[in-house]
């Protein structure tokens, strides 16, 4: 890679189902956040290659009672980000509740509370379009078969121009069952270009699919289709689902994801042009006219010339944190809506987490008070310093790799008052954690914890308990696993067994991620 080129992925972590918009010289991106809070991350770039996290559009998931406990694969699915009438708009589907919308005058807010446009099971992946030529507004969405029994089709609505609801009952405008070879059509993004309505939508499944393009002279169809991006002979599996953006000079670019197991859905940037590329399986295809051509003639690029935009310094979403004043950075999310008093602000540095009492202390997957961030997509080591400030027998705190299976290393107060270094794990099918190594004394009640994450998300745990022996490895290798739709997460937590009264706190300092 040279200073004139970039290498994919441009966001090497789980920024799932990305969508992008340009406003002036700035580019903004949002992504799925599922059941974590805050939700709807907001990223900013000036060159489409270097991105920083500037905030979230959704402080808490609603209805709040539904997300007081972890619902890892539910919540915010595949949002669309648009700019209209001098406001930012985000639409998303909650597969169990319906289609929601929030909006704000600035990317950093204030964002409105979620507004439910249409209630219903399985309504997902909505995308609006305000047609500047006619003043009409539209919305297209797909379906989750797990909730509705319906899939592989796109439904279109006329929408109120203020984005508060629909003006009709909706109509199927693309039926994937009628296109030979197409399945799991979803994730549509809706555009107006060159006299056509365009829908860019993936099909074929998350890990194995392709990116499709559909066009019609009228919003309600009929549409013709092309496959405009697919794996071909590259190592980028399932390259699809994302957004198209045009630079001020007229260059076109497409941001999409690639599913990478425990690392989640990492984001690639593809050049885009208009020509006669792509393949059609429809017998009704209209001849003539240009189609989008993505990547290298329909194959994803690994390295490419940078967009013709002003050079920017290298940047990436933050990972490290000193927790100034007890506050955690934007990169952290709770595994459910946060509760009062989970983290305490103070005058110094370091994160003070309350040892929240729970009957589910044996299973981190069930706890809402785990503070998480995305697992980096490259080999790295995560390190944090921990002090357990709790006299409660059974109180514990640590650093975890959290997914459908999990592993953690940390400190626990014993019944005899001593503090032990413990290392535990649970398989995906297990109902409770087990020891991954023999506990040992942490004489000062503190430890430096380290998780080395190598190729294939294989994790090595180690700790320094201040006994003069430095870091010592603990237990066998643990391979991180995702949930069904969410990549594995790094997490910090403090908890205590069920009971009465305050159970103390744990202090985390100097969280660092170093890449190798």
């Amino acid at each position: 890679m040279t200073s004139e080129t970039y290498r994919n992925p441009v966001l090497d972590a789980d920024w799932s189902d990305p969508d992008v918009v340009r406003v002036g010289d700035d580019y903004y991106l949002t992504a799925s956040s599922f059941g974590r809070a805050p939700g709807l991350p907001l990223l900013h770039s000036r060159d489409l290659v270097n991105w920083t996290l500037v905030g979230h559009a959704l402080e808490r998931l609603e209805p709040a009672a539904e997300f007081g406990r972890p619902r890892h694969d539910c919540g915010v699915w595949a949002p669309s980000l648009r700019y209209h009438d001098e406001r930012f708009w985000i639409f998303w589907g909650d597969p169990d509740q319906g289609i929601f919308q929030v909006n704000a005058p600035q990317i950093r807010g204030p964002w409105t509370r979620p507004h439910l446009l249409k209630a219903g099971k399985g309504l997902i992946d909505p995308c609006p379009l305000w047609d500047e030529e006619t003043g009409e507004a539209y919305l297209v969405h797909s379906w989750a078969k797990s909730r509705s029994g319906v899939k592989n089709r796109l439904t279109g609505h006329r929408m109120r121009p203020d984005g508060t609801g629909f003006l009709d009952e909706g109509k199927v405008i693309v039926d994937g069952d009628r296109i030979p070879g197409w399945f799991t059509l979803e994730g549509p993004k809706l555009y107006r270009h060159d006299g056509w309505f365009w829908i860019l939508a993936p099909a074929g499944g998350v890990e194995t699919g392709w990116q499709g393009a559909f066009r019609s002279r009228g919003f309600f169809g009929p549409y013709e289709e092309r496959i405009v991006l697919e794996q071909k002979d590259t190592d980028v599996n399932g390259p699809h689902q994302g957004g198209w953006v045009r630079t001020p000079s007229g260059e076109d670019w497409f941001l999409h994801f690639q599913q990478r197991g425990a690392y989640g859905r990492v984001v690639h940037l593809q050049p885009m042009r208009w020509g006669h590329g792509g393949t059609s399986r429809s017998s009704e295809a209209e001849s003539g006219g240009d189609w989008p051509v993505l990547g290298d003639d329909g194959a994803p690029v690994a390295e490419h010339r940078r967009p013709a935009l002003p050079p920017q310094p290298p940047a990436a979403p933050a990972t490290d944190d000193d927790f100034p004043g007890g506050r955690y950075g934007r990169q952290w999310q709770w595994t459910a809506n946060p509760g009062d008093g989970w983290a305490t602000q103070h005058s110094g540095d370091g994160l003070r987490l309350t040892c929240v009492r729970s009957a589910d202390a044996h299973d981190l997957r069930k706890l809402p008070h785990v503070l998480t961030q995305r697992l980096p997509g490259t080999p790295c080591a995560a390190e944090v310093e921990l002090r357990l400030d709790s006299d409660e027998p059974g109180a514990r705190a640590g650093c975890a790799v959290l997914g459908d299976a999990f592993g953690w290393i940390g400190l626990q107060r014993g019944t005899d008052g001593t503090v032990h270094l413990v290392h535990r794990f649970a398989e995906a099918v297990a109902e409770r954690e087990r020891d991954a190594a023999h506990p040992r004394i942490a004489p000062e009640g503190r430890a430096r914890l380290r998780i080395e994450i190598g190729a294939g998300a294989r994790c090595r745990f180690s700790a320094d308990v201040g006994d003069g022996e430095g870091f010592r490895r603990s237990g066998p290798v643990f391979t991180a696993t995702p949930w069904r739709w969410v990549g594995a997460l790094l997490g910090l937590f403090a908890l205590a067994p069920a009971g009465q009264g305050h159970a103390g706190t744990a202090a985390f300092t100097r969280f660092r991620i170093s890449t190798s």
Side-chain angles (χ1 to χ4, degrees):
M1 186 175 66
T2 70
S3 60
E4 288 78 34
T5 63
Y6 70 90
R7 179 171 291 278
N8 276 317
V10 293
L11 284 166
D12 200 1
D14 188 22
W15 303 96
S16 179
D17 313 318
D19 195 24
V20 63
V21 68
R22 177 177 69 86
V23 179
D25 294 326
D26 296 287
Y27 301 86
Y28 300 100
L29 181 147
T30 192
S32 296
S33 52
F34 299 98
R36 303 192 300 279
L40 290 172
L42 303 167
L43 288 82
H44 170 253
S45 178
R46 301 295 296 272
D47 64 0
L48 293 171
V49 174
N50 295 286
W51 293 88
T52 57
L53 179 63
V54 297
H56 292 82
L58 188 63
E59 182 178 352
R60 301 173 69 87
L61 290 92
E62 294 190 7
E66 294 289 327
F67 293 96
R69 56 183 175 83
R71 302 181 66 206
H72 298 290
D73 290 310
C74 302
V76 177
W77 283 20
S80 293
L81 174 61
R82 293 293 181 265
Y83 188 76
H84 166 72
D85 197 23
E86 298 185 344
R87 297 186 73 83
F88 290 91
W89 302 77
I90 301 178
F91 289 70
W92 76 93
D94 179 317
D96 299 301
Q97 299 186 67
I99 295 173
F100 287 90
Q101 169 258 107
V102 292
N103 61 86
Q106 305 290 335
I107 196 68
R108 291 175 173 83
W111 289 86
T112 60
R113 287 189 61 178
H115 171 76
L116 182 64
L117 281 79
K118 183 176 183 178
K121 296 281 189 180
L123 307 176
I124 58 169
D125 309 345
C127 183
L129 171 70
W130 287 271
D131 189 340
E132 302 298 338
E133 297 178 14
T134 65
E136 297 286 328
Y138 305 95
L139 184 139
V140 62
H141 71 83
S142 56
W143 296 85
K145 186 175 182 179
S146 59
R147 273 70 165 187
S148 65
V150 176
K151 66 176 289 189
N152 206 32
R153 65 187 63 171
L154 307 180
T155 296
H157 291 268
R158 292 179 61 236
M159 185 176 71
R160 293 174 184 157
D162 63 1
T164 59
F166 299 139
L167 298 173
D168 58 31
E169 293 301 312
K171 175 185 175 183
V172 175
I173 58 176
V174 180
D175 186 345
D177 290 345
R178 298 175 64 90
I179 307 173
W182 283 58
F183 60 97
T184 317
L185 176 63
E186 57 187 351
K189 297 294 183 285
L190 180 60
Y191 307 93
R192 197 84 157 95
H193 172 68
D194 197 26
W196 298 86
F197 287 91
W198 289 91
I199 299 173
L200 301 182
V206 170
E207 295 185 356
T208 57
W210 58 87
Q211 179 65 38
F214 300 81
R215 71 178 186 182
S216 174
R217 293 296 185 183
F219 172 69
F220 288 101
Y223 283 84
E224 52 183 313
E225 98 290 335
R226 292 283 191 279
I227 294 175
V228 295
L229 184 70
E230 54 187 325
Q231 181 171 355
K232 296 191 175 180
D233 60 355
T234 74
D235 60 0
V236 181
N237 61 295
H240 62 51
Q241 188 154 331
W244 162 38
V245 67
R246 174 167 285 179
T247 70
S249 66
E251 285 187 350
D252 294 309
W253 297 86
F254 184 75
L255 285 148
H256 68 90
F257 76 70
Q258 173 200 11
Q259 170 65 36
R260 291 190 56 220
Y263 301 112
R265 301 174 184 182
V266 303
V267 178
H268 291 238
L269 176 66
Q270 301 296 336
M272 174 173 164
R273 60 181 175 84
W274 294 86
H276 296 286
T279 57
S280 172
R281 300 178 184 176
S282 172
S283 60
E284 303 173 358
E286 179 179 317
S287 61
D290 285 344
W291 287 81
V293 181
L294 304 182
D296 180 8
D297 198 24
V301 299
E303 185 174 340
H304 194 269
R305 173 189 59 81
R306 287 175 175 265
L309 294 166
Q312 302 295 318
T319 56
D320 296 353
D321 206 342
D322 287 319
F323 310 106
R327 293 178 291 271
Y328 47 86
R330 297 187 183 99
Q331 66 268 35
W332 298 97
Q333 297 170 290
W334 299 101
T335 47
N337 282 336
D340 294 335
W342 288 357
T344 304
Q345 294 187 14
H346 52 89
S347 58
D349 287 349
L351 177 68
R352 292 182 185 171
L353 293 183
T354 299
C355 293
V356 178
R357 292 188 180 276
S358 175
D360 294 317
H362 58 278
D363 192 342
L364 299 185
R365 295 165 295 197
K366 297 180 180 180
L367 301 181
H369 53 277
V370 182
L371 192 61
T372 67
Q373 63 169 279
R374 291 161 178 83
L375 189 75
T378 54
C380 65
E383 190 171 319
V384 69
E385 299 175 10
L386 168 64
R387 185 183 71 245
L388 183 61
D389 297 323
S390 172
D391 294 327
E392 180 78 12
R396 69 204 71 163
C399 185
V401 176
L402 184 62
D404 196 32
F406 68 85
W408 67 274
I409 191 167
L411 299 175
Q412 177 170 318
R413 179 72 66 178
T415 55
D416 61 355
T418 58
V419 175
H420 292 84
L421 177 79
V422 294
H423 176 196
R424 300 203 173 108
F425 78 103
E427 306 162 81
V429 296
E431 296 182 357
R432 60 187 307 117
E433 65 188 20
R434 297 165 48 202
D435 282 325
H438 295 292
R440 55 192 175 101
I441 296 292
E444 303 298 325
R446 63 180 66 211
R448 294 167 61 202
L449 310 174
R450 180 187 291 165
I451 304 175
E452 299 172 47
I453 305 157
R458 292 187 292 273
C459 303
R460 273 283 190 188
F461 295 76
S462 59
D464 178 357
V465 296
D467 57 4
E469 296 189 22
F471 276 101
R472 290 170 55 188
R473 284 190 170 180
S474 178
V477 169
F478 170 82
T479 300
T481 65
W483 281 281
R484 185 174 185 186
W485 307 126
V486 182
L489 301 164
L490 290 171
L492 304 177
F493 70 92
L495 61 90
Q500 300 296 318
H502 184 64
T505 63
F508 295 87
T509 54
R510 287 185 53 81
F511 183 89
R512 297 288 185 271
I513 292 181
S514 57
T515 57
S516 57

